[in-house]
Amino acid sequence: MRFSGFRVFKEAVTGHKGWKPLWRNPEPKPAYDIVIVGGGGHGLATAYYLAKVFGQARVALLERGWLGSGNVGRNTTIIRSNYLLPGNQPFYEFSMTLWEGLEQDFNLNAMVSQRGILNLIHTDAQRDAYRRRGNAMILSGADAVLLNRDQVWAMAPFLNFDNARFPIKGGLLQPRAGTARHDGVAWGFARGADLAGVDIIQNCEVTGFRIEEGRVKGVETSRGYIGAGKVGVAVAGSSSRVMSKAGMRLPIESHGLQAFVTEGLKPTIPGVITFGAGHFYVSQSDKGGLVFGGDIETYKSYAQRGGLPVLEDVVEGGMALMPMIGRARLLRAWGGVADMSMDGSPIIDRTPVDGLYFNGGWSYGGFKATPASGYCFAHLLATDTPHETAKAMRLDRFERGYVIDEKGVGASPNLH
Amino acid sequence: MTRLSGGVIDRSRTLSFTFDGQAYQGHPGDTLASALLANGVRLMGRSFKYHRPRGVLSAGSEEPNALVELRTGARREPNTRATVVELFDGLEAKSQNRWPSLSFDALAVNDLFAPFFAAGFYYKTFMWPKAFWEKVYEPAIRRAAGLGSLSMLPDPDAYDKGFLHCDLLVIGGGAAGLSAALTAARSGARVILADEDFRLGGRLLAESGPFTDQSVDAWIAGLEAEFASLPNLRVMRRTTVWGAYDHGIFAALERVADHLSTPGEGVRQTLWRITAKRAVLAAGATERHIPFANNDRPGIMLSGALRAYANRWAVRPAERVAIFTNNDDGHRTALDLRAKGVEVAAVVDSRAEAKVLGDYPLLAGALVTGSRGRLGLKAIRVAQHGRDQWIPCGALGVSGGWNPNVHLASHHRGRPVWDEAQQTFLPGEEGPPGLIPAGAAVGEGSTHAALMSGARAAVKALDALGIKASPPNLPEAEDRPLGLKPLWHVPGKARAWVDFQNDVTVKDIALAHQENMRPVEHLKRWTTLGMATDQGKTANVTALAVMAELTGKTIPETGTTIFRPPYTPVSLSALGGGNTGTHFRPRRLTPTHVWAEGRGAVFVEVGQWMRAQYFPRPGEKTWRETVDREVLATRAGVGICDVTTLGKIDVQGKDAGAFLNRIYCNAMASLKVGMVRYGLMLREDGQAWDDGTCARLAEDQYVVTTTTAQAGPIYRHMEFCRQGLWPELDVQLISTTDAWAQLSVAGPQARVLLERIVDGFDLSNAAFPFMACGELTIAGGLRARLFRISFSGELAYEIAVPARYGAALMGRLVSLGADLGATPYGTEALGVLRIEKGHAAGNELNGQTTAQMLGMGRMVSVKKDSIGAVQSRREGMAADSRRLVGLVPVAATDPVVAGSHLFTEGAVHNTGTDQGWITSACYSPHVGSAIGLGFLTEGEARQGEVVIAANPLEGQAIRLRVVSPHFVDPEGGRLRV
Amino acid sequence: MLIPHPLLGPRDAGEFTYLGDARLLERPDGLGPDAPAAFHDYVYLRDNIAGVQRELWFHEQGDRSWLVVTRDTLTHEILKAELARDVVLARKEAGK
């Protein structure tokens, strides 16, 4: 079934009887050519592109709980390609181009809204660094605009220009950045993959890998053994736990990351705004809630919840930056587990086990990467060669000294 | 006014307020909702999606419908629940999410088109043409969505944060909470009792005669008196405990002044962090409604709320009232209303076996199947024994049973468990450690059970702390069973609301089921159920039950939902707590700050520090003019700069040298006493981390300096190495950054100037050469440290004195050096001087560069093990050919712009051809043009080559010549004179 | 969170700075023959345990002790806190 305005109209006048399940609930088959472990955004996108672009017919995706239950369902929905380093920026720009055609491609409105992201500048050194970054963005084919103070004021006059501890001196704007409805992204990829023949199997936990003579043969699951020609693992947040079942230790630590939303408000904030001197960024959802976040928890955690100090720190930043939000109320806080990699950049690569592939280490920036991550992982799984834009995201880069360290803080996962 | 007799309101005083501009009156003790109801106002808001007319549903913090914009101007608070606003004189409230008026809302047209707006409709359309989303569809959706609006003005009120500690925190001041607090407080334990209401009592206030041996008023009055006499008990009214965090830490919001028109001199709200050894969760229960066709009209409310308005606030909700119930609690509302003289049209009870408990018409085995009344309820349709009838009434109380308020018990993600007998979710075993649920929150809902349960919970909690407590004498209280027989919704074709605010109906849940959005999280996300400002308090369990019916599974098989902080919404101002504006972060001032202010210095934020950026003089028109003067004066005579912000770490002990040998990549143990060495520290991953000087004052004493930014991290790292890696070494560390004021005295006249201040210390080049250090006294006995080091390339010293003498030293140097042209300079001139000399600073040492890139690859000793040495030799790092170079424009008037990327002349400009970037740039009065430093591929071999500095961001591409990074005195002769 | 400091009693976690897995105390010999592999393992690879782990906290706003804290990463329950110095000296004395 194709979704369209016409279809919505037709169903509305005929009592919504014709709507079909968005995806099937298939029973697992004994074996597949490719098994994807993890029904989050990246796993779903991988399955989708494997079937749609790379012509893979026998693909299964296994999800421990309900599809979309990972970090794709618990983030602040920002999409952007404003990275600095050549190992990252072309990949994220590739992702941005995929976002731009995604909804028409998978036929579901994921509310991709390119209302821009503004990174605020507070010092001369920060302006130099953002100029370097903005130029890196343009050189990769992305868009970027350097704004002075007056231009920032024209965009966001409600910011604290008069009484700030760290005065606003300008900003780096990426007009094509913005937000997308996170659940819609998961559902769009899931529905598209399902229509293309992928078996999406929910409530199916992978409990082990069957590895013989250095080659993966299949996966043990809570619903029995499933054979596989290749296995791709995309379980950000649980990467270390799952890959340890294949005997691997990863350059990853898990940290809690909170996000927050206020009660619904009439339009208040134009796009995404990032405070350059505090830990705060914010956008407004289509329903009206101010969606905001800040730093990860500094300590390791799998608890999927955060602490009060980070909440207070984030809101202090918000209040310092835009004091007019004070009378809005925090409605909900939620927490996810971020796979913090040792250089803050992701891994899309083969592993020492033949036929076993790994996608993870997205730190707290995985959502914007969802389409490209799926595409590049599918490329690797289908062709055994890395996609052009993901060549640097190797697992052995730490051993060989080719880290992709955007922040320049070294092997300190909680600082990235 | 439609007041009944009785109630806990102060009729001796009248308060005036307005709603949508219309003036009304109420009494102290009223909420905005009770006062509006007492004035006959039923219509208070509009729903989110369909803009349906709505009235109050509840009498508490779970309210989904009656949301208003409270107050005006900068104090406007959108989405404020009228049910929890304590009435004050002069209160102004406005309805929201409607245009042009509450009774005529143009967007109510959405309701007519409701079939098009079924669950998930927006995921299926608005995709064509592509560009229309941001330009047409989304703006329309955004304007229609949202609820209230912000004033867009800064909040004028003050806020505070506070910390409290106790043995036992009692959350909730109803029957269970009061009994728990009394039990615990009498034992002598340190107790905090917090309740969200402005009056203690909870549901007790809403009931008529829950005690059989005394009145509630008398009991509470007695308790209040006793509580006031107990120094170990703190009673916090108007305080919502909204989050359960780790290790017994609870977040609570006290609404200190929300019941006043303005906070005056005090704070409006205080955010408390309460650390409790144990806690009793006595948060009560929330009544659930029963969806039926058009069950959302103003006048239809929860049965318990109807009872509360009548008993506590003496509100006559309507002339004729009906009840719809599946349990005996609904009958109690009918009884109470009858007793107050309100006509009860009917009690519609879905249980065929229901018995009448008093003087009212009972329709047993009957269902409410519809309602009439566009802006307020006029009649309900009742089906009984296959017959329909319309019963006129102005209010309907609905009782579908009670959901325990398990919220805080699930804040650690522990799931509630289903209790089949009570047909409710109860707190699970995986709750926050030390949190004991009691009373209605754990299904002990009768007054008697709640009192007993609270006392038991307190005894148990204190027992675990070794404090003996015993249950007090408690009132005799009602202990009637509910006799509930589940009825989750009334089947029918018309829309029946489950989530009122977000307009989620039973049909939407059925559609979600049809479309395979069956896991509870899919259901919520697809339909927006439970995402409204009440966080699903009145909707989630009912929705689960409806889904369970559709799937044919049990409710626990269908799913559970957990709740996250906050329990009720918390203002961002309170969470910010006043640490906003210029108080956002601490401000560290240098010892010469006040002196510099007196000289008219312009300051700049450097992390937490405020540093003098430059010292303008009268007549100087631009900052550049000032900075050029300061630079030239330093190179020609002598300049003085406060460099106190650099980190200083004293390293002492027999093994200090051996220790520093492992910290720095270059050797330090071999440094002679009385000498200084430049030092480079790597991170353990081999990247350059920080640089500075290391001075050896004695055999067993070094002074390490760090950059301003890394002072904290480096000290932490050195302590880690000392305590965690090599505890066997005899070495001690102390940070002395704040203890010593340090001034840089630079320029050809630096020695002459210093000679005027030292106490007979030989500063001659022979006695105190370049890179010498020593301890001495100055100005007639003041102890000082002197280092002959240079960041500018000139003959230079840094002199340190105890911090409190910093400003005096600065003043004296400037005045003693007047004839030498002594000039204070700021961070801008400091930056120019160091770029001219080619010294790396933060822009170069940005954590992404290696020693090799800085031209210091050979400093990394291979003879010893030091932090980062092994990793610095990895293939990828060794192969990196980028080097620090100097850059000057080919056309002397061209700018050099930091952040530009470097390309070979003639190359296309893209990521693949990128050859480096400009790290730092400035105008150099010494060179007479702009200059820059940058990292360039194969930079070492490219001196003299012309490269392109591309800055497409600002439309620039400038030809630069690659030169040595040392623009001033590359041989270093000036340093050594 | 509250951290039971072995010298100072329970202290708010906000006074501390977190580093990570306590295996960072076991720094390999930089002059050893297998130093490159050993340092890759030491600097970059983590067990990343979901459960009880030993980890390093620095009492930055306090007495500047480095602590080894035993904590459950699933529940945040803290089982033990020791001075890192004591832990390392004991290990070195044991000759490991």
Side-chain angles (χ1 to χ4, degrees):
Chain A
M1 175 191 290
R2 218 181 137 64
F3 288 159
S4 67
F6 172 74
R7 187 83 203 189
V8 168
F9 177 82
K10 182 164 169 255
E11 290 297 332
V13 296
T14 57
H16 296 288
K17 295 202 172 59
W19 295 119
K20 298 279 186 296
L22 269 81
W23 41 80
R24 300 164 293 134
N25 286 341
E27 285 300 312
K29 298 191 181 85
Y32 294 87
D33 291 344
I34 300 177
V35 165
I36 304 298
V37 182
H42 292 219
L44 290 165
T46 305
Y48 174 80
Y49 289 114
L50 274 172
K52 288 274 284 197
V53 177
F54 296 96
Q56 298 292 320
R58 290 174 12 104
V59 177
L61 178 145
L62 313 182
E63 164 56 43
R64 177 176 57 172
W66 41 278
L67 67 87
S69 58
N71 290 330
V72 74
R74 46 183 84 245
N75 60 72
T76 47
T77 78
I78 294 166
I79 60 172
R80 57 185 171 90
S81 57
N82 58 355
Y83 281 71
L84 172 68
L85 299 176
N88 273 332
Q89 175 56 17
F91 170 86
Y92 287 100
E93 177 53 21
F94 175 52
S95 205
M96 185 56 77
T97 61
L98 291 174
W99 281 115
E100 288 175 325
L102 193 60
E103 298 156 292
Q104 288 69 26
D105 188 31
F106 64 34
N107 181 231
L108 188 132
N109 185 357
M111 292 165 238
V112 172
S113 174
Q114 294 178 285
R115 284 173 294 128
I117 185 167
L118 175 63
N119 286 70
L120 294 169
I121 293 170
H122 305 271
T123 66
D124 292 345
Q126 216 173 20
R127 186 185 296 111
D128 292 349
Y130 273 131
R131 192 183 287 110
R132 179 185 170 205
R133 176 184 299 260
N135 282 322
M137 290 161 65
I138 291 172
L139 290 167
S140 79
D143 59 321
V145 184
L146 192 66
L147 304 180
N148 62 28
R149 181 186 182 279
D150 292 347
Q151 291 166 312
V152 173
W153 189 87
M155 273 187 71
F158 48 80
L159 297 178
N160 185 356
F161 286 93
D162 308 325
N163 183 35
R165 174 70 178 83
F166 300 100
I168 296 167
K169 294 191 172 172
L172 182 67
L173 175 72
Q174 185 182 23
R176 283 162 64 241
T179 56
R181 170 78 196 146
H182 56 353
D183 292 326
V185 175
W187 299 336
F189 278 123
R191 181 166 167 271
D194 178 79
L195 286 172
V198 174
D199 280 356
I200 298 174
I201 301 161
Q202 303 185 66
N203 299 309
C204 181
E205 181 171 5
V206 169
T207 54
F209 298 93
R210 191 173 291 178
I211 297 166
E212 291 170 10
E213 292 169 358
R215 175 157 193 94
V216 72
K217 296 291 183 188
V219 290
E220 309 286 351
T221 80
S222 55
R223 295 173 68 168
Y225 174 75
I226 300 172
K230 293 177 180 176
V231 176
V233 177
V235 294
S238 301
S239 293
S240 299
R241 277 192 283 189
V242 172
M243 295 310 282
S244 72
K245 299 180 201 299
M248 288 177 62
R249 291 172 79 217
L250 296 174
I252 285 173
E253 250 187 32
S254 299
H255 287 262
L257 176 62
Q258 296 188 79
F260 312 97
V261 66
T262 68
E263 297 174 334
L265 299 163
K266 292 295 179 197
T268 306
I269 289 179
V272 185
I273 298 175
T274 300
F275 187 20
H279 311 125
F280 177 76
Y281 60 88
V282 64
S283 66
Q284 189 169 17
S285 78
D286 285 333
K287 286 185 64 195
L290 301 179
V291 180
F292 61 99
D295 257 4
I296 59 168
E297 301 292 337
T298 59
Y299 51 85
K300 232 188 76 182
S301 172
Y302 282 99
Q304 283 202 333
R305 60 189 172 84
L308 190 54
V310 164
L311 167 59
E312 291 181 47
D313 177 64
V314 170
V315 177
E316 280 174 13
M319 290 295 297
L321 181 67
M322 39 178 79
M324 91 303 178
I325 61 175
R327 296 247 168 184
R329 297 191 197 87
L330 173 74
L331 174 61
R332 198 165 58 242
W334 63 96
V337 179
D339 256 13
M340 298 306 300
S341 77
M342 298 308 265
D343 61 0
S345 294
I347 296 156
I348 302 176
D349 202 359
R350 288 165 284 232
T351 70
V353 178
D354 276 352
L356 181 61
Y357 299 74
F358 176 71
N359 173 326
W362 290 96
S363 302
Y364 50 82
F367 179 69
K368 70 183 96 68
T370 305
S373 168
Y375 195 103
C376 294
F377 200 34
H379 187 286
L380 181 70
L381 279 158
T383 69
D384 262 315
T385 53
H387 186 265
E388 181 64 25
T389 63
K391 279 191 305 197
M393 297 172 176
R394 294 169 62 122
L395 190 54
D396 67 0
R397 66 176 185 266
F398 304 96
E399 190 157 15
R400 296 171 59 232
Y402 292 95
V403 296
I404 315 170
D405 186 352
E406 288 273 334
K407 276 198 176 171
V409 294
S412 306
N414 58 344
L415 301 181
H416 284 292
Chain B
M1 293 288 277
T2 53
R3 290 281 190 190
L4 302 167
S5 60
V8 198
I9 50 172
D10 176 4
R11 289 166 203 259
S12 68
R13 287 172 54 213
T14 298
L15 305 173
S16 297
F17 69 100
T18 67
F19 178 59
D20 279 343
Q22 174 82 41
Y24 299 101
Q25 292 185 328
H27 298 294
D30 263 325
T31 63
L32 175 58
S34 73
L36 283 171
L37 286 172
N39 281 279
V41 177
R42 288 188 295 174
L43 176 62
M44 297 186 199
R46 290 274 173 172
S47 69
F48 180 83
K49 185 159 71 166
Y50 300 140
H51 288 248
R52 298 263 297 186
R54 291 289 167 76
V56 71
L57 178 76
S58 73
S61 60
E62 71 270 33
E63 178 59 34
N65 284 340
L67 306 184
V68 300
E69 286 177 4
L70 189 69
R71 306 173 197 266
T72 57
R75 290 197 166 88
R76 184 202 299 173
E77 291 161 57
N79 307 328
T80 304
R81 287 151 288 152
T83 51
V84 298
V85 174
E86 201 174 334
L87 198 66
F88 55 85
D89 200 45
L91 178 150
E92 291 178 74
K94 233 172 68 176
S95 59
Q96 55 184 36
N97 203 35
R98 85 289 183 277
W99 183 87
S101 75
L102 184 56
S103 56
F104 180 80
D105 178 4
L107 274 173
V109 70
N110 285 2
D111 198 35
L112 298 176
F113 294 104
F116 302 97
F117 300 146
F121 78 97
Y122 36 78
Y123 293 110
K124 300 169 180 169
T125 181
F126 302 134
M127 288 179 268
W128 307 268
K130 214 172 94 172
F132 268 39
W133 176 252
E134 285 88 351
K135 293 196 174 66
V136 180
Y137 302 130
E138 190 179 45
I141 290 171
R142 284 173 166 264
R143 273 196 302 274
L147 292 164
S149 52
L150 290 173
S151 70
M152 302 303 279
L153 299 169
D155 189 338
D157 291 336
Y159 296 81
D160 203 359
K161 291 185 181 179
F163 297 80
L164 293 171
H165 298 261
C166 61
D167 295 317
L168 185 70
L169 168 66
V170 179
I171 302 162
L178 290 173
S179 135
L182 182 65
T183 305
R186 281 187 183 168
S187 76
R190 290 188 306 157
V191 181
I192 293 173
L193 169 65
D195 189 81
E196 62 179 354
D197 205 338
F198 52 89
R199 197 183 292 281
L200 292 181
R203 271 306 300 180
L204 292 175
L205 302 175
E207 306 294 346
S208 64
F211 300 158
T212 52
D213 61 344
Q214 56 187 297
S215 81
V216 165
D217 290 356
W219 187 61
I220 292 179
L223 279 187
E224 297 255 19
E226 182 172 352
F227 285 175
S229 73
L230 291 169
N232 56 322
L233 171 68
R234 181 181 181 123
V235 180
M236 302 177 76
R237 295 173 188 81
R238 303 185 176 98
T239 302
T240 305
V241 178
W242 56 261
Y245 291 94
D246 285 313
H247 305 162
I249 295 172
F250 293 85
L253 181 76
E254 182 179 5
R255 288 172 297 279
V256 180
D258 275 353
H259 58 296
L260 308 173
S261 57
T262 67
E265 295 296 300
V267 300
R268 176 182 168 226
Q269 298 177 339
T270 299
L271 179 72
W272 293 103
R273 201 186 288 187
I274 302 173
T275 303
K277 289 179 184 156
R278 290 290 184 278
V280 170
L281 177 63
T286 301
E287 196 167 17
R288 58 192 179 221
H289 66 96
I290 305 169
F292 60 86
N294 292 311
N295 60 327
D296 66 330
R297 298 194 194 281
I300 301 177
M301 59 179 92
L302 297 168
S303 158
L306 203 57
R307 192 155 88 230
Y309 285 117
N311 286 329
R312 176 171 172 184
W313 287 289
V315 168
R316 177 196 301 275
E319 294 300 319
R320 270 166 67 86
V321 175
I323 302 294
F324 180 29
T325 186
N326 64 356
N327 66 80
D328 282 356
D329 199 58
H331 293 249
R332 275 173 230 161
T333 303
L335 288 170
D336 284 7
L337 290 171
R338 280 295 292 129
K340 293 239 172 197
V342 179
E343 182 186 352
V344 175
V347 172
V348 181
D349 195 321
S350 60
R351 300 171 299 173
E353 67 282 8
K355 298 270 185 304
V356 68
L357 303 177
D359 178 22
Y360 53 82
L362 169 69
L363 301 175
L367 298 171
V368 176
T369 57
S371 72
R372 269 207 300 252
R374 196 174 68 83
L375 297 177
L377 183 67
K378 288 188 175 139
I380 55 170
R381 188 175 61 202
V382 178
Q384 189 190 26
H385 313 315
R387 269 186 37 237
D388 280 359
Q389 59 170 316
W390 283 95
I391 298 176
C393 58
L396 174 72
V398 182
S399 179
W402 295 80
N403 293 324
N405 289 331
V406 303
H407 305 69
L408 269 79
S410 62
H411 279 184
H412 287 200
R413 297 189 61 84
R415 293 194 171 272
V417 293
W418 180 252
D419 183 280
E420 188 61 28
Q422 295 206 46
Q423 292 287 306
T424 55
F425 284 103
L426 300 179
E429 295 293 312
E430 305 279 292
L435 181 80
I436 304 174
V442 68
E444 303 275 1
S446 79
T447 311
H448 171 79
L451 289 168
M452 294 300 147
S453 159
R456 267 199 319 274
V459 170
K460 182 177 164 194
L462 295 180
D463 187 57
L465 302 178
I467 301 172
K468 280 273 162 270
S470 47
N473 285 328
L474 293 165
E476 295 291 323
E478 61 83 18
D479 193 19
R480 291 165 296 203
L482 272 188
L484 178 140
K485 194 168 170 189
L487 171 67
W488 295 103
H489 71 111
V490 178
K493 287 193 171 157
R495 284 176 295 165
W497 271 259
V498 177
D499 185 316
F500 289 98
Q501 191 182 117
N502 272 358
D503 283 319
V504 182
T505 66
V506 171
K507 277 183 161 184
D508 290 314
I509 298 172
L511 185 57
H513 176 260
Q514 181 182 333
E515 300 190 278
N516 199 17
M517 287 297 197
R518 295 176 195 179
V520 60
E521 285 296 331
H522 283 167
L523 167 67
K524 287 168 68 176
R525 290 154 190 259
W526 187 242
T527 63
T528 73
L529 174 105
M531 306 287 189
T533 60
D534 65 326
Q535 282 211 60
K537 286 193 182 72
T538 57
N540 282 359
V541 176
T542 304
L544 263 177
V546 172
M547 181 57 92
E549 190 182 289
L550 290 161
T551 55
K553 293 181 183 169
T554 65
I555 290 172
E557 279 168 359
T558 304
T560 54
T561 64
I562 61 164
F563 296 90
R564 302 186 181 91
Y567 175 62
T568 54
V570 180
S571 77
L572 298 187
S573 280
L575 291 166
N579 295 336
T580 60
T582 53
H583 303 297
F584 170 54
R585 288 284 186 266
R587 205 183 273 266
R588 295 176 78 181
L589 304 183
T590 65
T592 61
H593 188 86
V594 173
W595 179 88
E597 271 179 338
R599 300 277 297 204
V602 172
F603 293 92
V604 63
E605 303 80 19
V606 181
Q608 290 188 343
W609 291 99
M610 298 299 293
R611 294 188 72 179
Q613 191 175 13
Y614 50 94
F615 295 82
R617 279 188 185 166
E620 290 175 344
K621 292 185 190 66
T622 65
W623 66 268
R624 254 282 309 283
E625 208 177 316
T626 305
V627 173
D628 286 355
R629 170 182 54 75
E630 291 173 8
V631 169
L632 291 170
T634 302
R635 294 224 183 274
V638 57
I640 307 158
C641 182
D642 187 334
V643 294
T644 303
T645 63
L646 295 178
K648 310 177 203 71
I649 301 166
D650 243 58
V651 182
Q652 300 187 29
K654 180 165 63 64
D655 297 323
F659 176 75
L660 291 173
N661 245 11
R662 302 181 193 186
I663 297 288
Y664 284 105
C665 72
N666 52 323
M668 283 301 166
S670 56
L671 183 62
K672 291 190 172 63
V673 172
M675 294 303 289
V676 185
R677 189 173 284 170
Y678 175 82
L680 181 67
M681 294 186 199
L682 308 182
R683 289 191 309 239
E684 193 69 281
D685 71 344
Q687 302 278 352
W689 186 2
D690 200 55
D691 70 345
T693 57
C694 182
R696 192 166 198 172
L697 293 178
E699 198 57 42
D700 60 353
Q701 183 182 14
Y702 291 77
V703 175
V704 165
T705 67
T706 73
T707 60
T708 301
Q710 297 295 338
I714 293 286
Y715 177 74
R716 183 190 314 146
H717 164 71
M718 287 172 64
E719 282 289 4
F720 173 73
C721 294
R722 184 181 76 88
Q723 299 174 38
L725 298 183
W726 310 302
E728 68 278 8
L729 295 183
D730 174 9
V731 59
Q732 301 295 329
L733 308 175
I734 189 162
S735 166
T736 62
T737 304
D738 294 283
W740 293 94
Q742 194 147 319
L743 305 183
S744 165
V745 182
Q749 301 288 354
R751 180 183 293 122
V752 177
L753 175 57
L754 284 177
E755 275 169 346
R756 298 176 182 177
I757 201 165
V758 298
D759 297 338
F761 190 83
D762 186 356
L763 284 174
S764 70
N765 202 34
F768 200 74
F770 180 56
M771 296 307 256
C773 67
E775 292 176 289
L776 69 165
T777 66
I778 64 169
L782 177 63
R783 70 196 174 98
R785 290 171 171 179
L786 191 64
F787 310 89
R788 189 172 161 190
I789 53 181
S790 176
F791 200 43
S792 57
E794 301 298 330
L795 167 69
Y797 302 82
E798 287 186 16
I799 181 164
V801 293
R804 63 187 181 282
Y805 295 100
L809 176 61
M810 176 63 106
R812 186 168 299 195
L813 286 171
V814 170
S815 63
L816 286 177
D819 61 316
L820 305 172
T823 302
Y825 65 93
T827 55
E828 284 298 325
L830 182 76
V832 173
L833 291 164
R834 73 97 189 165
I835 294 172
E836 287 180 339
K837 181 62 185 171
H839 277 308
N843 287 13
E844 288 76 32
L845 280 164
N846 68 350
Q848 297 169 326
T849 49
T850 64
Q852 284 185 101
M853 289 170 72
L854 294 163
M856 302 178 192
R858 275 184 298 253
M859 274 178 74
V860 184
S861 170
V862 292
K863 292 184 205 135
K864 62 176 180 116
D865 182 16
S866 64
I867 298 287
V870 171
Q871 293 290 75
S872 76
R873 295 191 272 268
R874 282 176 293 170
E875 161 199 334
M877 295 174 71
D880 192 333
S881 72
R882 293 174 300 181
R883 293 292 180 273
L884 189 68
V885 297
L887 297 158
V888 291
V890 173
T893 53
D894 272 350
V896 178
V897 181
S900 302
H901 288 237
L902 301 174
F903 292 90
T904 304
E905 207 170 16
V908 293
H909 297 176
N910 61 38
T911 307
T913 58
D914 198 329
Q915 297 216 307
W917 76 100
I918 300 177
T919 54
S920 302
C922 66
Y923 176 80
S924 164
H926 174 81
V927 177
S929 77
I931 60 170
L933 298 174
F935 290 110
L936 178 65
T937 303
E938 307 287 353
E940 233 162 4
R942 293 171 74 170
Q943 286 208 9
E945 185 182 327
V946 171
V947 295
I948 302 298
N951 179 18
L953 193 61
E954 292 166 295
Q956 288 174 324
I958 291 164
R959 300 176 74 227
L960 302 179
R961 191 173 305 284
V962 180
V963 297
S964 154
H966 309 294
F967 296 91
V968 169
D969 188 27
E971 297 76 29
R974 295 193 194 190
L975 302 165
R976 295 179 168 83
V977 293
Chain C
M1 293 204 296
L2 297 174
I3 293 181
H5 192 297
L7 304 176
L8 304 172
R11 306 298 310 173
D12 193 279
E15 296 173 1
F16 293 79
T17 302
Y18 182 80
L19 181 62
D21 196 309
R23 288 179 66 165
L24 289 170
L25 297 172
E26 295 162 34
R27 186 177 185 274
D29 177 5
L31 300 177
D34 60 345
F39 268 87
H40 167 245
D41 190 293
Y42 170 75
V43 175
Y44 289 112
L45 299 186
R46 297 286 184 272
D47 291 330
N48 200 18
I49 294 163
V52 175
Q53 75 157 9
R54 297 169 80 237
E55 59 190 21
L56 291 158
W57 293 77
F58 180 52
H59 199 197
E60 185 135 23
Q61 312 295 326
D63 76 339
R64 296 171 281 125
S65 288
W66 274 96
L67 304 185
V68 176
V69 176
T70 307
R71 188 178 63 98
D72 190 325
T73 60
L74 288 165
T75 64
H76 300 171
E77 183 190 5
I78 293 180
L79 301 142
K80 192 159 66 164
E82 307 154 88
L83 292 175
R85 180 183 172 82
D86 293 348
V87 170
V88 174
L89 285 174
R91 175 170 51 85
K92 290 193 175 185
E93 270 165 37
K96 281 200 271 180

